[in-house]
Amino acid sequence: MASCYSPSVGDRLESLDTPSMIVDLDLMEANIKKLMDSLLPTGLNIRPHLKTTKSAILARKLVAAGAKGGCVAKLSEAEAMTSAGFDDLLITCEIIGAPKVNRLVDLYKKHRNIRIVVDSEAGATAINNALGQAPKVSDDPIHVLLDLDVGLHRTGAKPGEPVLALARHVRTLKNLRLIGIQGYEGHLQHLHDREDRKKRCLESMKTLTDTADVLRKEGFNIDVVTTGGTGTAEFCATVPGVTELQPGSFIFMDTDYRNAIGTLYSNSLTILSTVISKQGERQVTIDSGLKSLTTDSGLAECQNSRYEYGCLGDEHGSLNWEEGTPELRIGDRVHMIPSHIDPTINLHDVYYAHRKGVIEEIWPVDTRGKVQ
Ligand code: PLP
Ligand code: MN
């Protein structure tokens, strides 16, 4: 028999089972407003990275607030987003290998708004050939951006001759239309020293915009110059030649970003957890471990900072406190702040969004598990 547990809009958070992923709508909306108020006046396109929210509903909320489209990291995320009704998407990872390229062609047949990046001649050629064999799409070239390595050394053609050679190659491919360049400075997002982050970001932006200029001089069409994350968007926005920004984490934040860039944006998402066992005078166990909170960027923190979290494996975590702190008891509930927001959200099926403790909206995590 199906469970009778079915949380609904209008219920209070107390009615939720745990662990549950909780969004404070007042805080989330304030984060969106802050970002839009600071960046929209620059005239740049805001194309938020949806690898954070994984939600078409939230993508539409961001568009309502002024964003133009969104980014996804992977092709399978694009498939899920389009199925959920949002298709103005840039896929920011390279699409390599016949299975993925064929999936791209299928997706592009239905969704002509999809944009992609390439960083190799082989990758571009494979996509061009696959599109050429698809009867309906072969006369409608897919919009492509050159992915440039601006210092992250993750993907991207190298500046100078390599990226020019790639552009020349793309020009020979009739099913690809070059529209711009992407250069993501992911290695700088979490630098704690703001001046250092700014200085190195501006260096990366110089590489990006200089490359765009060189490409234009050679006659290439570079309308879109896209870059930036939560830690650097404000600096990228000051650089003439940048046209589009891709911040993602600002909407919810996490402890890693808070420690790096401060509290301009607040932690609007928590994992509601329950104390399930008492293990000592000043230690309890909660029902949130690796399966509900990631640890790659350090441990999550209890919203009430008097309780210190420790991971106790897949399903469990500990909370310890100093003498004099009110004790936690079996059945008590705590809010845990994730240390790395994107992979933490990937562990949950739904968001419960509340205002002052009353659930106002429930959103599916549309691209959960879409790692391909
Ligand atoms: N753009 C690209 C290509 C990314 O990989 C990421 C995050 O990893 C972002 C933008 C968004 O960055 P953040 O979530 O740090 O704002
Ligand atoms: Mn991340």
Side-chain angles (χ1 to χ4, degrees):
M1 212 177 83
S3 159
C4 60
Y5 175 66
S6 126
S8 309
V9 167
D11 292 352
R12 294 199 58 87
L13 291 183
E14 289 77 5
S15 69
L16 290 175
D17 198 357
T18 62
S20 273
M21 188 162 68
I22 308 295
V23 172
D24 183 321
L25 280 169
D26 289 330
L27 296 181
M28 182 194 86
E29 288 166 4
N31 286 348
I32 296 174
K33 185 168 182 330
K34 264 187 210 159
L35 183 106
M36 295 300 171
D37 284 353
S38 68
L39 296 180
L40 284 177
T42 64
L44 300 185
N45 285 350
I46 316 296
R47 186 180 276 281
H49 212 306
L50 305 172
K51 63 181 281 173
T52 304
T53 65
K54 304 171 183 65
S55 154
I57 291 173
L58 285 167
R60 282 190 281 273
K61 283 186 193 287
L62 287 162
V63 167
K68 282 192 100 182
C71 300
V72 287
K74 297 296 194 84
L75 177 87
S76 61
E77 290 181 301
E79 290 172 340
M81 276 291 170
T82 56
S83 295
F86 191 86
D87 76 352
D88 186 350
L89 292 170
L90 168 65
I91 304 173
T92 60
C93 290
E94 278 66 19
I95 292 166
I96 301 292
K100 202 174 255 90
V101 169
N102 292 336
R103 285 167 76 168
L104 172 67
V105 174
D106 280 344
L107 185 68
Y108 189 63
K109 280 179 191 161
K110 288 174 271 164
H111 299 282
R112 299 298 163 91
N113 276 340
I114 301 288
R115 301 170 169 199
I116 59 169
V117 302
V118 295
D119 81 350
S120 68
E121 296 188 9
T125 300
I127 293 168
N128 180 68
N129 292 348
L131 285 168
Q133 279 158 23
K136 276 206 184 126
V137 293
S138 55
D139 45 358
D140 203 355
I142 192 166
H143 288 186
V144 171
L145 289 84
L146 305 173
D147 188 18
L148 181 74
D149 180 9
V150 293
L152 173 58
H153 308 322
R154 182 173 75 178
T155 61
K158 303 298 169 196
E161 191 46 40
V163 72
L164 272 167
L166 178 62
R168 288 183 203 116
H169 179 73
V170 168
R171 183 152 56 190
T172 68
L173 304 175
K174 73 179 187 32
N175 302 311
L176 306 190
R177 176 173 299 149
L178 184 61
I179 62 159
I181 185 165
Q182 164 177 275
Y184 177 58
E185 65 295 357
H187 57 308
L188 307 179
Q189 300 303 330
H190 292 84
L191 291 182
H192 285 211
D193 180 339
R194 184 181 149 84
E195 279 313 305
D196 189 35
R197 187 161 16 101
K198 177 178 176 182
K199 181 174 153 280
R200 293 179 59 186
C201 175
L202 295 179
E203 285 165 12
S204 284
M205 290 307 102
K206 183 161 167 38
T207 304
L208 181 62
T209 53
D210 283 356
T211 301
D213 287 342
V214 170
L215 287 162
R216 287 191 196 103
K217 273 198 200 104
E218 279 229 10
F220 294 107
N221 178 47
I222 304 293
D223 289 336
V224 178
V225 178
T226 186
T227 183
T230 298
T232 58
E234 61 174 316
F235 309 128
C236 303
T238 65
V239 177
V242 168
T243 72
E244 187 175 272
L245 301 169
Q246 311 182 352
S249 299
F250 70 95
I251 187 167
F252 299 136
M253 291 292 282
D254 51 33
T255 61
D256 197 26
Y257 250 132
R258 182 208 59 205
N259 294 343
I261 70 168
T263 51
L264 171 64
Y265 304 109
S266 40
N267 293 112
S268 59
L269 182 150
T270 54
I271 304 301
L272 183 64
S273 310
T274 299
V275 174
I276 60 164
S277 179
K278 180 129 180 141
Q279 288 296 310
E281 208 187 323
R282 286 181 276 113
Q283 178 167 329
V284 292
T285 299
I286 62 171
D287 57 355
S288 285
L290 287 171
K291 283 185 183 167
S292 38
L293 290 162
T294 57
T295 58
D296 59 281
S297 301
L299 292 175
E301 288 178 16
C302 189
Q303 199 174 48
N304 182 337
S305 59
R306 297 171 82 176
Y307 304 104
E308 194 181 343
Y309 180 67
C311 182
L312 292 176
D314 297 350
E315 290 87 12
H316 302 100
S318 58
L319 288 177
N320 289 273
W321 59 89
E322 304 270 309
E323 224 176 314
T325 304
E327 75 168 317
L328 290 173
R329 298 202 169 98
I330 289 177
D332 283 351
R333 290 177 159 216
V334 291
H335 285 268
M336 300 300 299
I337 307 173
S339 52
H340 188 180
I341 195 70
D342 315 300
T344 295
I345 293 170
N346 198 44
L347 300 170
H348 297 266
D349 289 327
V350 283
Y351 295 94
Y352 297 100
H354 76 102
R355 221 179 286 276
K356 297 177 181 48
V358 178
I359 298 171
E360 210 169 278
E361 300 183 40
I362 300 175
W363 310 315
V365 183
D366 298 302
T367 65
R368 176 180 185 186
K370 303 301 181 202
V371 297
Q372 293 181 337

